[in-house]
Amino acid sequence: MQTRPVAPPAGGLGWANLGMDIVSVTRVRRLLTLYGEDFFRRMLTPGELADCRTSARLDVLGLCGRIAAKEAAFKTLRVRAVFLPWLDIVVRRSEGGWPLVELRGPAAAMAAESGIAAITVTISHDVDYAVAVAAPVLETGPPEGPVHPVHPEEPAQPARPADHDRASAAGAPTAHHTPRRHTMSEGLQLVKNWLLARHEELDDIAPDLDLIENRLIDSLSFVEFVFLLEQHSGRSIQMETLEVDEIRTLAAIETHFFAAQAVQA
C-alpha cells in the first residue's frame, strides 16, 4: 500500500512533531524469555544488538531503550497505514554515549517528504521502564510539493498506527461492533484467542473490528503477532512487505493467511 506522510509541511513557525514512547522492561524480558534473541533480530540491527550486549547477556534495559527510541522517532514522521520500519530506523550509541538516529530506506523517504532532515532522540531508563523522546531536525524550507493523506477524498483522521501511545484513553475498542456468526479456521481461532488473552476487557472480537485503529495490535506486539501468524499458518512472513490491510481485521487475516483452513472447516 502506498502511503504519504500526513504532517503539515515543515518550515512554519513553531512546527515540530515530537514523539514519545515508553516500554515495559517486564514485557521485553518476557519476549526475550519466550523467543530468545532471534525475536529481536527483526527489530534491531546487528550493530544495535551489539550496543546492547554485555559480556554475559543482552542488556534488557538497553533493548527497551532502543525499542522506545525507534517508536518515538517513528511518531515524529506522522504517517498513516504503514507499520514501523524497525530495521530502517537505527539507534546507535555514539562515542560520547548518547543515542544517534540513522534513517534508512522507507524511513528516510518518509522523513524527506515531511521536510525532516534528521531526528534527535534522548533515552531514559528506570527499573521497570525505558522512555524515549524524539524531535525532528527540520529542513531549511518546506518539502517539494504538497503533502497529502493516503486517501485525500476521506476526512482527515488522527495519525495511526504511527501513534501508539499506550497511556491514551483511546485504547478501548470502538463500541457498537456486533459480532457476526462466523465459522473460523482453527488457525484464526488461535490468533483470536491470543488477542483476547492480551485484552481481558473484551469478551469477543468481531470479524470486521479494526485491530489497528482499536489498538489491539501495537508496534511491539506486531512483531510477536507476526511470529504467531508464521507458527499457525505455516508461512514465512516478511515484515517489510506485509501490508496493513492484510492484518487489519480477523476477516482479512483469514483471507490472507488461513483461507485453505477456512475452506476445510
Side-chain angles (χ1 to χ4, degrees):
M1 176 187 297
Q2 197 171 23
T3 185
R4 295 291 303 277
V6 296
L13 182 62
W15 180 87
N17 289 332
L18 297 180
M20 180 177 180
D21 198 71
I22 181 170
V23 173
S24 164
V25 172
T26 300
R27 188 179 182 188
V28 171
R29 185 175 286 116
R30 179 185 67 83
L31 293 171
L32 185 59
T33 300
L34 281 176
Y35 303 109
E37 186 174 322
D38 283 348
F39 179 88
F40 295 95
R41 294 187 190 281
R42 294 197 173 189
M43 305 170 71
L44 280 73
T45 65
E48 290 173 310
L49 285 170
D51 286 346
C52 297
R53 197 178 304 281
T54 67
S55 58
R57 64 182 70 86
L58 281 176
D59 173 36
V60 176
L61 275 177
L63 289 175
C64 292
R66 275 153 186 77
I67 291 168
K70 285 170 181 266
E71 293 213 45
F74 184 53
K75 288 176 181 179
T76 69
L77 302 179
R78 296 293 198 272
V79 292
R80 294 176 53 205
V82 62
F83 292 115
L84 193 164
W86 286 103
L87 299 180
D88 290 322
I89 299 178
V90 182
V91 181
R92 296 299 307 274
R93 184 172 57 235
S94 70
E95 292 184 3
W98 52 83
L100 297 175
V101 177
E102 177 189 354
L103 302 177
R104 302 174 178 176
M110 286 185 276
E113 287 192 65
S114 283
I116 295 174
I119 296 174
T120 181
V121 68
T122 182
I123 302 171
S124 182
H125 305 91
D126 198 355
V127 176
D128 298 317
Y129 296 95
V131 178
V133 176
V137 178
L138 305 182
E139 299 279 8
T140 55
E144 295 182 2
V147 178
H148 300 294
V150 182
H151 304 293
E153 72 280 3
E154 297 177 358
Q157 299 180 10
R160 295 180 183 175
D163 185 8
H164 295 306
D165 186 355
R166 295 176 180 82
S168 171
T174 305
H176 308 302
H177 277 274
T178 303
R180 299 195 304 258
R181 294 187 62 185
H182 183 75
T183 302
M184 290 187 177
S185 63
E186 180 181 357
L188 185 63
Q189 186 64 57
L190 292 171
V191 169
K192 179 178 176 180
N193 293 344
W194 183 87
L195 289 168
L196 287 171
R198 282 153 179 77
H199 297 277
E200 296 180 355
E201 73 279 7
L202 299 179
D203 296 323
D204 195 13
I205 302 174
D208 60 348
L209 179 69
D210 193 317
L211 305 176
I212 307 299
E213 290 291 330
N214 289 291
R215 307 189 187 209
L216 271 66
I217 303 175
D218 61 17
S219 293
L220 186 53
S221 66
F222 164 67
V223 182
E224 188 175 7
F225 188 75
V226 170
F227 268 59
L228 182 79
L229 282 179
E230 288 185 330
Q231 177 183 350
H232 296 313
S233 69
R235 291 176 48 186
S236 177
I237 301 172
Q238 298 298 319
M239 293 196 305
E240 296 78 8
T241 58
L242 184 64
E243 297 285 353
V244 174
D245 285 344
E246 292 178 338
I247 66 166
R248 187 175 292 279
T249 65
L250 290 177
I253 293 170
E254 183 169 67
T255 298
H256 291 284
F257 298 97
F258 299 108
Q261 293 182 17
V263 170
Q264 294 173 3

